[in-house]
Amino acid sequence: MYMKKLPKKKRSGKRQFQLQLMVIPAMVFFFIFSYIPVMGLANAFLDYSLTDGFFGHAFAGMKYFKELFSSESFYLAMKNTLGMSSLKFFFTFTSPLLLALIINEVPFKWLKKATQTGSYLPHFLSYVIVATLWIVFLDSKGLINDILMRLHITDMPIEFLADSKYFWWIGVWIDCWQESGWNAIIYLAAIAGINQDIYEAAAVDGAGRLKRITQITLPSIAWTAGVLFVMNCGNLLSGGPVASNFNQSYLLGNAFNYSKSYVIQKFIVDEGLNQLRFSFAAAGNLILSVLSVTLLLTANKISKKVFGKSVF
């Protein structure tokens, strides 16, 4: 039996080998830019200096962690990171799902395609362009204030970017606007895989549109939502795959909204690159990395309990 199967396995292995070769460039990319830099986190325990080379640094122990936990800027940055990231997580996780359900229910094919295309186009814009657009829109003489005043919602222009209480919600809105359409593609693909006979049978039994969504569509794509939930938890503290927390803090933050716009990624860049306190910044980055991994593992365990299976 073994001898008969061997030639077939060899042929299969040869085909698989050709496919695996296509993966090698991606593996090399992630190894160089994702795994090798992890070694730099060791600088959190060293007195790092650019002039000492790679191995000439004195051991500092927990010195920079003690400084970190006595820094008011660190606590402010962590508070803003956790607050804004939590809001973003809820809205950016649910909005693509709702958008996908809405697009799926559009009866006209041309309108469905136009809506889907228009919704994911912002994903391809650079964040610099996105920030510039919204700075113009949110200006006291911009489009948003003009609409609000024409609808008599407000009598005076609102200084959105000069008032810190709006900053978190502006960040949430921009992320939903830019990424919901792109992330909805995954849900639409999952919905497309549902057997249409089930919908027809439910319609014959008298199930309305809402009933079919809650009883057929949502249960059928629950595992897809579970996978995205786990992956989003891993990016929670960065504000998403595009690291939008830092982008928004750097591009939209100013002295007026500093109390809400200063996030941990901005703190790390300020300390590491601007102040040249590399070990101090590495300590902050290590804490951020540990928290992100902890959230990812916790989400994976939750997924296993809720859905009966996990991502890894």
Side-chain angles (χ1 to χ4, degrees):
M1 293 292 292
Y2 177 77
M3 293 302 293
K4 290 181 179 179
K5 291 182 178 179
L6 188 59
K8 186 177 180 180
K9 287 184 178 180
K10 282 187 175 180
R11 291 196 301 270
S12 176
K14 188 176 180 179
R15 289 196 297 268
Q16 286 295 319
F17 177 74
Q18 294 172 346
L19 294 173
Q20 294 300 327
L21 285 177
M22 299 172 64
V23 182
I24 291 177
M27 294 175 63
V28 172
F29 175 86
F30 281 109
F31 179 76
I32 294 174
F33 294 102
S34 296
Y35 289 95
I36 292 179
V38 170
M39 294 186 293
L41 293 175
N43 291 328
F45 304 96
L46 304 173
D47 281 320
Y48 180 83
S49 174
L50 287 174
T51 59
D52 293 336
F54 287 104
F55 305 105
H57 315 296
F59 183 70
M62 302 299 290
K63 170 186 173 182
Y64 294 105
F65 291 95
K66 292 177 181 178
E67 289 185 22
L68 200 65
F69 288 116
S70 63
S71 170
E72 292 184 5
S73 297
F74 173 74
Y75 284 107
L76 174 64
M78 282 302 298
K79 183 190 76 171
N80 290 333
T81 301
L82 292 172
M84 186 158 62
S85 295
S86 298
L87 283 175
K88 285 183 178 181
F89 180 81
F90 175 78
F91 286 100
T92 58
F93 178 71
T94 55
S95 59
L97 176 58
L98 293 174
L99 179 61
L101 294 174
I102 292 171
I103 291 176
N104 186 62
E105 296 299 323
V106 173
F108 306 108
K109 195 171 182 179
W110 64 269
L111 182 58
K112 181 183 292 189
K113 287 184 177 181
T115 304
Q116 186 177 352
T117 302
S119 64
Y120 70 63
L121 279 179
H123 169 81
F124 298 99
L125 296 178
S126 163
Y127 217 96
V128 175
I129 297 174
V130 170
T132 303
L133 284 173
W134 283 100
I135 287 173
V136 174
F137 290 158
L138 296 170
D139 187 74
S140 58
K141 297 180 181 179
L143 177 65
I144 304 299
N145 272 304
D146 186 52
I147 293 173
L148 293 176
M149 293 180 70
R150 286 179 183 273
L151 295 175
H152 302 289
I153 296 176
T154 178
D155 297 326
M156 297 291 293
I158 300 174
E159 297 287 348
F160 287 103
L161 294 177
D163 194 335
S164 60
K165 68 181 181 182
Y166 296 115
F167 191 84
W168 288 4
W169 294 105
I170 290 172
V172 170
W173 169 255
I174 292 176
D175 274 20
C176 289
W177 173 78
Q178 186 178 18
E179 298 297 331
S180 291
W182 179 256
N183 293 331
I185 295 175
I186 300 174
Y187 289 113
L188 288 169
I191 293 172
I194 302 174
N195 191 341
Q196 296 301 309
D197 293 340
I198 302 175
Y199 288 105
E200 294 175 5
V204 171
D205 289 340
R209 190 181 295 270
L210 185 60
K211 195 81 170 179
R212 294 197 294 271
I213 291 174
T214 56
Q215 299 298 320
I216 300 174
T217 307
L218 289 177
S220 299
I221 63 173
W223 173 233
T224 302
V227 172
L228 292 178
F229 170 78
V230 174
M231 302 307 293
N232 286 348
C233 278
N235 295 314
L236 175 63
L237 295 181
S238 64
V242 291
S244 62
N245 278 357
F246 172 74
N247 289 327
Q248 288 167 4
S249 178
Y250 187 78
L251 297 171
L252 300 177
N254 53 53
F256 299 103
N257 58 35
Y258 174 85
S259 62
K260 292 292 185 181
S261 65
Y262 194 62
V263 295
I264 189 66
Q265 293 85 355
K266 184 68 163 56
F267 171 82
I268 291 170
V269 169
D270 285 346
E271 295 294 335
L273 296 182
N274 297 340
Q275 302 296 326
L276 300 181
R277 301 181 67 191
F278 300 110
S279 295
F280 186 67
N285 199 27
L286 179 58
I287 291 174
L288 183 66
S289 300
V290 170
L291 288 174
S292 296
V293 171
T294 302
L295 286 170
L296 179 63
L297 296 176
T298 303
N300 194 57
K301 284 190 175 181
I302 293 173
S303 174
K304 192 169 185 178
K305 286 187 176 181
V306 174
F307 301 105
K309 47 186 176 180
S310 57
V311 176
F312 51 88

